Structures are given as C-alpha cells and as structure tokens.
Amino acid sequence: MPSRDRRHVHTVLPLQGADQFAELLQPEVNLGVGDELGDRDARVDLLAQIDGSRVHTVGSKHEGIELRFDGAGHRIDFAALVGRSVWLYPQHEALKDLIAARLAAGQDLRFGVTVSGVEDIDTDRPRVIATDAEGAAITIEADFVVGADGSRSSIRTAITGPHGGAFREYPFAWFGILCEAPPSADELIYSNSPDGFALISQRSPQVQRMYFQCDPNDDPNALSEAEIWDTLQKRVPGHELTEGPIFQRDVLRFRSFVAHELRRGRAAIVGDAAHTVPPTGAKGMNLAVADVILLARALDALLNSGDATVIDGWADAARERIWKAQHFSWWMTQMLHINPTDSDFDRRRQLGELRTIVDSEAGRAYLAEAYTGWPLGAV
C-alpha cells in the first residue's frame, strides 16, 4: 500500500540534492528591478529578502543592452528610458538560494520523487500520486497542489485534459557555449547579422555565456572550438570577442507554448508547466517568478482567510502577463533572427524594423519597459 502524508507543505524535486539539481540549469535570467522598491521590482526584491540570497552579490546589475546590426552597435539605456535596470543572475544560483532557504526553514523537500499524476483536484483535498527515490509508492494529500514540474508536467494533464495549449515551434535554435574568459562586453549584445543571430552574454567575471543561431538538428559536438569562435565573431562584426577554452556546449530548441488552462479546482500550474517562451528577451524565469508571486497572494487569501475571490481571478491575471511576454519574446526573436525562408524583402524589412526601434525614443522605451518587466498589479 502507498504511504499517505497529510502535512501541509511539500516540494518534490526530481534529483538527489540542491547542487545536483541546480547545476542542470545553465541559462542566465534577467530580473527587472527599479530604482525604488515596489511592484515593478517585486521579483528581485523577493529574491533579495530570502535568507542567504546572493542576488546582489553573485548577480550583476545591468542598465542597458546593445542591439547590433549593419556592423554598428546601438545601446538601449534602460535607466534613462524607463528608470529601471536588470540583474543578471544565473538560474542555478537562484535555485540554490531558494532550496537552501527552504531547507533551513524546515520545509519538507523530497528529492528523487517521480509524480505520475494528481487526483481529486475538484475537492478540497487533492492528492499527488508519486513514487519516492527508492521506488515506493506515496500519496500526498494537500490543501492545494502547484505543478511547477516543467514543460512535461504531469500536473498539467490533470488541469487541461487532452486540450493542451497554444503551441509554436521555430525553424532555428541556439548553439550555446560556456567558456573560460573575461566578458567580451560590459552589457549583453543582441546581434543581427546576415549570417544569423548571436547573443554575447556573461556568467561571471571569469566565465562567458554565448549563443549563435543554428539549425535545431545541429550536433553540438560537430564544430571545433576554432569553428565556434569564427562563427561567433562573424555574427558580431565590428566587435572583438575575448576567446577562451570552451567547457560546455549545447543546442537549445525554440518553442512557444501556453496551456489552455492554468488552474482547475485546487490545482494550478506555474512556470514552464504553464508556458514556455523563446529565450530571446529572457522572459522564462521572470514569468515563473511572477506566476508564483501572484499565486502566493491568492493562496494566502484562500487558505488563511477562506477568500476564494483572488484565486478565482489568478489565472486571468497571470495569463495577461504571459501573453504580453509571449508577444515580446516572439517580437525580439523575429526581429533578430534570420528565417531560412526569408526573401530579400523580408531581410530589408527586418533591418527597417531595427532602425525604427533604435531611431525612436518611443521604440527604445517600449523595448526597455518590456525587457525590464511590467508591474505585477494588485492581484
């Protein structure tokens, strides 16, 4: 018989420890933050308030990005345009902070658990059906189940049924590397070139993270280090990159997805379980954190005050932000990447769009506002 557990707060994670789980998450996250504390910087403020948080020590503050095309760079000055900036903080470092804080608080974290589904979500005692790290069946009874279990979520199926969600796949991917070298630029460079897109990012003062547009079926091990550096340098003409030994490489496919339903009864999905975006514009973890902030307010009202009105409006509030982020991520992606089916007209139109943005204060301000993040609102 499966064991039954009725304690209030559980988190189940798929690996054996915080460091092991965290090291699988490599992309950086741009967390919007303003000059004054408030809704606009709730995501960074939330992480900064966690005991032991290193967002302001390991993370680095950036006040703009560079759009590069036609061999020239154009700075988008977030601070001047919208009075905000971003913190570049690796996801795996943020995850380490969160897991360490929950363990220190005595929360029951279960590593190595495989969730097969959730039952009775239309009642006030939903149940998570799973097996533990040793393969023993367990059932967890809960007040509310939150599926933060990634893009292949087992919780999502119980909420959406066979209907799934709105989905789009892109005809290109990112070839990503980590290398041992000092940063090639003070701020991120988003470069549109005739040969394809490149992103020049950073991980730390000693490690760089870089990407270039590739075919989704490319083998990350097919190129030599010299070929990788030649490709990257060709994608950022006019800007000299600092090269160093490459110690990690991968191909990241592009997908956009939004589940048709985010909540049913006493279960909800957040983060990649609910939506995915292309990495252009760094909205993935931003959306996940916003989902959780909004959901925490709703669950506080429901479970501590018996007020269901906030949770009843949560999905609509979250969905509004999700689709704004989907548009921004799609817009940045189509503006910066070369589509293999593009005609000469398409290419010239794309350059016209980039020129429109950098030559217009209103255009630059929209990009800065969307990139640094929208207010969370009162929900």
Side-chain angles (χ1 to χ4, degrees), residues 126-171:
R127 300 182 302 135
V128 176
I129 310 302
T131 55
D132 65 18
E134 285 72 43
I138 57 173
T139 298
I140 301 174
E141 292 186 357
D143 293 316
F144 200 98
V145 173
V146 180
D149 50 339
S151 59
R152 298 182 180 181
S153 170
S154 57
I155 307 301
R156 182 174 65 226
T157 304
I159 292 174
T160 65
H163 305 296
F167 176 79
R168 176 176 185 152
E169 193 159 17
Y170 294 80

Coordinates of all heavy atoms in Angstrom, one line a residue, residues 126-171:
P126 N -7.0 17.6 -2.7 CA -6.4 16.9 -3.8 C -5.2 16.0 -3.4 O -4.6 16.2 -2.3 CB -5.8 18.1 -4.6 CG -5.6 19.2 -3.6 CD -6.7 19.0 -2.6
R127 N -4.9 15.0 -4.2 CA -3.9 14.1 -3.8 C -2.9 13.9 -5.0 O -3.2 13.8 -6.1 CB -4.5 12.7 -3.6 CG -5.5 12.7 -2.4 CD -6.1 11.3 -2.2 NE -6.7 10.8 -3.3 CZ -6.5 9.5 -3.8 NH1 -5.7 8.7 -3.1 NH2 -7.1 9.1 -4.9
V128 N -1.6 14.0 -4.6 CA -0.5 13.8 -5.5 C -0.1 12.3 -5.5 O 0.2 11.8 -4.4 CB 0.7 14.7 -5.2 CG1 1.9 14.4 -6.2 CG2 0.3 16.1 -5.3
I129 N 0.0 11.6 -6.6 CA 0.3 10.2 -6.7 C 1.8 10.1 -7.2 O 2.1 10.7 -8.3 CB -0.6 9.4 -7.6 CG1 -2.1 9.7 -7.2 CG2 -0.3 7.9 -7.5 CD1 -2.4 9.4 -5.8
A130 N 2.6 9.5 -6.5 CA 4.1 9.5 -6.9 C 4.8 8.3 -6.4 O 4.2 7.5 -5.6 CB 4.7 10.8 -6.3
T131 N 6.0 8.1 -6.8 CA 6.9 7.2 -6.2 C 8.2 7.9 -5.7 O 8.6 8.9 -6.3 CB 7.4 6.1 -7.2 OG1 7.9 6.7 -8.3 CG2 6.2 5.3 -7.6
D132 N 8.7 7.4 -4.5 CA 9.9 8.1 -4.0 C 11.2 7.6 -4.6 O 11.2 6.8 -5.6 CB 9.9 7.9 -2.5 CG 10.1 6.5 -2.0 OD1 10.6 5.6 -2.8 OD2 9.8 6.2 -0.8
A133 N 12.3 8.1 -4.1 CA 13.6 7.8 -4.7 C 13.9 6.3 -4.7 O 14.7 5.8 -5.5 CB 14.7 8.6 -4.0
E134 N 13.3 5.6 -3.8 CA 13.5 4.1 -3.7 C 12.5 3.3 -4.5 O 12.5 2.1 -4.5 CB 13.5 3.6 -2.3 CG 14.8 4.0 -1.4 CD 14.8 5.5 -1.1 OE1 13.8 6.1 -0.8 OE2 15.9 6.1 -1.3
G135 N 11.6 4.0 -5.2 CA 10.6 3.4 -6.0 C 9.3 3.0 -5.2 O 8.4 2.4 -5.8
A136 N 9.2 3.4 -3.9 CA 8.0 3.1 -3.2 C 6.9 4.1 -3.5 O 7.1 5.3 -3.7 CB 8.3 3.1 -1.7
A137 N 5.7 3.6 -3.6 CA 4.5 4.4 -3.9 C 4.2 5.3 -2.7 O 4.2 4.9 -1.6 CB 3.3 3.6 -4.3
I138 N 3.9 6.6 -3.0 CA 3.5 7.5 -2.0 C 2.3 8.3 -2.5 O 2.1 8.6 -3.7 CB 4.6 8.5 -1.5 CG1 5.1 9.2 -2.7 CG2 5.7 7.7 -0.8 CD1 6.1 10.3 -2.3
T139 N 1.4 8.7 -1.5 CA 0.3 9.6 -1.8 C 0.4 10.8 -0.9 O 0.5 10.6 0.3 CB -1.0 8.9 -1.7 OG1 -1.1 7.8 -2.6 CG2 -2.2 9.9 -2.0
I140 N 0.4 12.0 -1.4 CA 0.4 13.2 -0.6 C -0.9 13.9 -0.7 O -1.3 14.3 -1.8 CB 1.6 14.1 -1.1 CG1 2.9 13.4 -1.0 CG2 1.6 15.4 -0.3 CD1 4.1 14.2 -1.6
E141 N -1.6 14.1 0.4 CA -2.8 14.8 0.4 C -2.5 16.3 0.7 O -1.6 16.6 1.6 CB -3.8 14.3 1.5 CG -4.3 12.9 1.1 CD -5.3 12.4 2.1 OE1 -5.6 13.2 3.1 OE2 -5.9 11.3 1.9
A142 N -3.2 17.2 0.1 CA -2.8 18.6 0.2 C -4.0 19.5 0.2 O -5.1 19.0 -0.1 CB -1.9 19.0 -1.0
D143 N -3.8 20.7 0.7 CA -4.9 21.7 0.6 C -4.9 22.3 -0.9 O -6.0 22.6 -1.4 CB -4.6 22.9 1.5 CG -4.7 22.5 3.0 OD1 -5.6 21.8 3.3 OD2 -3.8 22.9 3.7
F144 N -3.8 22.3 -1.5 CA -3.7 22.9 -2.9 C -2.4 22.3 -3.5 O -1.4 22.2 -2.8 CB -3.6 24.4 -2.8 CG -4.0 25.1 -4.1 CD1 -5.3 25.6 -4.3 CD2 -3.1 25.2 -5.2 CE1 -5.7 26.2 -5.5 CE2 -3.5 25.8 -6.4 CZ -4.7 26.3 -6.5
V145 N -2.5 21.9 -4.8 CA -1.3 21.4 -5.5 C -0.9 22.4 -6.5 O -1.7 22.9 -7.3 CB -1.7 20.1 -6.2 CG1 -0.5 19.6 -7.1 CG2 -2.0 19.0 -5.2
V146 N 0.4 22.7 -6.5 CA 1.0 23.6 -7.5 C 2.0 22.8 -8.4 O 3.0 22.3 -7.8 CB 1.7 24.8 -6.8 CG1 2.4 25.7 -7.9 CG2 0.8 25.6 -6.0
G147 N 1.7 22.7 -9.6 CA 2.6 22.0 -10.6 C 3.6 22.9 -11.1 O 3.3 23.7 -12.0
A148 N 4.8 22.8 -10.6 CA 6.0 23.6 -11.1 C 6.9 22.6 -11.7 O 8.1 22.7 -11.4 CB 6.6 24.4 -10.0
D149 N 6.4 21.6 -12.4 CA 7.2 20.4 -12.8 C 7.6 20.4 -14.2 O 7.8 19.4 -14.8 CB 6.4 19.1 -12.4 CG 5.0 19.1 -12.9 OD1 4.4 20.2 -13.2 OD2 4.4 18.0 -13.1
G150 N 7.8 21.6 -14.8 CA 8.5 21.7 -16.1 C 7.6 21.5 -17.3 O 6.4 21.3 -17.2
S151 N 8.2 21.6 -18.4 CA 7.5 21.6 -19.7 C 6.8 20.3 -20.0 O 5.9 20.2 -20.8 CB 8.4 22.0 -20.9 OG 9.5 21.1 -21.0
R152 N 7.2 19.2 -19.3 CA 6.5 17.9 -19.5 C 5.7 17.6 -18.3 O 5.5 16.4 -17.9 CB 7.5 16.8 -19.8 CG 8.3 17.0 -21.0 CD 9.3 15.9 -21.3 NE 10.1 16.1 -22.5 CZ 11.0 15.3 -23.0 NH1 11.3 14.2 -22.4 NH2 11.6 15.6 -24.1
S153 N 5.1 18.6 -17.7 CA 4.3 18.5 -16.5 C 3.3 17.4 -16.5 O 2.4 17.3 -17.4 CB 3.6 19.8 -16.2 OG 2.7 19.8 -15.1
S154 N 3.3 16.6 -15.4 CA 2.2 15.6 -15.2 C 1.0 16.2 -14.6 O -0.1 15.7 -14.7 CB 2.7 14.4 -14.3 OG 3.2 14.9 -13.1
I155 N 1.2 17.3 -13.9 CA 0.1 18.0 -13.2 C -0.8 18.7 -14.3 O -2.0 18.8 -14.2 CB 0.6 19.1 -12.2 CG1 1.5 18.4 -11.2 CG2 -0.6 19.7 -11.5 CD1 0.9 17.2 -10.4
R156 N -0.1 19.3 -15.3 CA -0.8 20.0 -16.4 C -1.9 19.1 -17.0 O -3.0 19.6 -17.3 CB 0.2 20.5 -17.5 CG -0.5 21.3 -18.6 CD 0.5 21.9 -19.5 NE 1.2 20.9 -20.3 CZ 2.5 20.9 -20.4 NH1 3.3 21.8 -19.9 NH2 3.1 19.9 -21.1
T157 N -1.6 17.9 -17.3 CA -2.6 17.0 -17.9 C -3.9 16.9 -17.1 O -5.0 16.9 -17.7 CB -2.0 15.6 -18.1 OG1 -0.8 15.7 -18.8 CG2 -3.0 14.7 -18.8
A158 N -3.8 16.9 -15.8 CA -5.0 16.8 -15.0 C -5.8 18.1 -15.1 O -7.0 18.1 -14.9 CB -4.6 16.5 -13.5
I159 N -5.1 19.2 -15.3 CA -5.8 20.5 -15.4 C -6.4 20.8 -16.7 O -7.5 21.2 -16.9 CB -4.8 21.6 -15.0 CG1 -4.5 21.5 -13.5 CG2 -5.4 23.0 -15.3 CD1 -3.4 22.4 -13.0
T160 N -5.6 20.5 -17.8 CA -6.1 20.8 -19.1 C -6.8 19.7 -19.9 O -7.5 19.9 -20.9 CB -4.9 21.3 -20.0 OG1 -4.0 20.2 -20.2 CG2 -4.1 22.4 -19.4
G161 N -6.6 18.5 -19.4 CA -7.2 17.3 -20.1 C -6.4 17.1 -21.4 O -5.3 17.5 -21.5
P162 N -7.1 16.7 -22.4 CA -6.4 16.4 -23.7 C -6.2 17.7 -24.6 O -5.7 17.6 -25.6 CB -7.4 15.5 -24.4 CG -8.8 15.9 -23.9 CD -8.5 16.3 -22.5
H163 N -6.7 18.8 -24.1 CA -6.7 20.0 -24.9 C -5.3 20.7 -25.0 O -5.1 21.5 -25.9 CB -7.7 21.0 -24.4 CG -9.1 20.4 -24.3 ND1 -9.8 20.0 -25.4 CD2 -9.9 20.2 -23.2 CE1 -11.0 19.5 -25.0 NE2 -11.0 19.6 -23.6
G164 N -4.4 20.5 -24.0 CA -3.1 21.0 -24.1 C -3.0 22.5 -24.1 O -3.5 23.1 -23.1
G165 N -2.5 23.1 -25.2 CA -2.4 24.6 -25.2 C -2.0 25.1 -26.6 O -2.0 24.3 -27.6
A166 N -1.8 26.4 -26.7 CA -1.4 27.0 -27.9 C 0.1 26.8 -28.1 O 0.9 27.1 -27.1 CB -1.7 28.5 -27.9
F167 N 0.6 26.4 -29.2 CA 2.0 26.0 -29.4 C 2.5 26.5 -30.7 O 1.8 26.6 -31.7 CB 2.0 24.4 -29.4 CG 3.4 23.9 -29.7 CD1 4.4 23.8 -28.7 CD2 3.8 23.4 -30.9 CE1 5.6 23.3 -28.9 CE2 5.0 22.9 -31.2 CZ 6.0 22.8 -30.2
R168 N 3.8 26.9 -30.7 CA 4.5 27.3 -31.9 C 6.0 26.8 -31.8 O 6.6 27.0 -30.7 CB 4.5 28.8 -32.0 CG 5.3 29.3 -33.2 CD 5.2 30.8 -33.4 NE 5.9 31.2 -34.7 CZ 5.6 32.2 -35.4 NH1 4.5 33.0 -35.1 NH2 6.3 32.5 -36.5
E169 N 6.5 26.3 -32.8 CA 7.9 25.9 -32.9 C 8.6 26.8 -34.0 O 8.0 27.2 -34.9 CB 8.0 24.4 -33.2 CG 9.4 23.9 -33.0 CD 9.5 22.4 -32.9 OE1 8.5 21.7 -33.2 OE2 10.5 21.9 -32.4
Y170 N 9.9 27.0 -33.8 CA 10.6 27.9 -34.6 C 11.6 27.1 -35.5 O 12.1 26.0 -35.1 CB 11.4 29.0 -33.8 CG 10.4 29.9 -33.1 CD1 9.8 29.5 -31.9 CD2 10.1 31.2 -33.6 CE1 9.0 30.4 -31.2 CE2 9.3 32.0 -32.9 CZ 8.7 31.6 -31.7 OH 7.8 32.5 -31.1
P171 N 12.0 27.6 -36.7 CA 12.9 26.9 -37.6 C 14.3 27.1 -37.3 O 15.2 26.8 -38.1 CB 12.5 27.5 -38.9 CG 12.2 28.9 -38.6 CD 11.5 28.9 -37.3

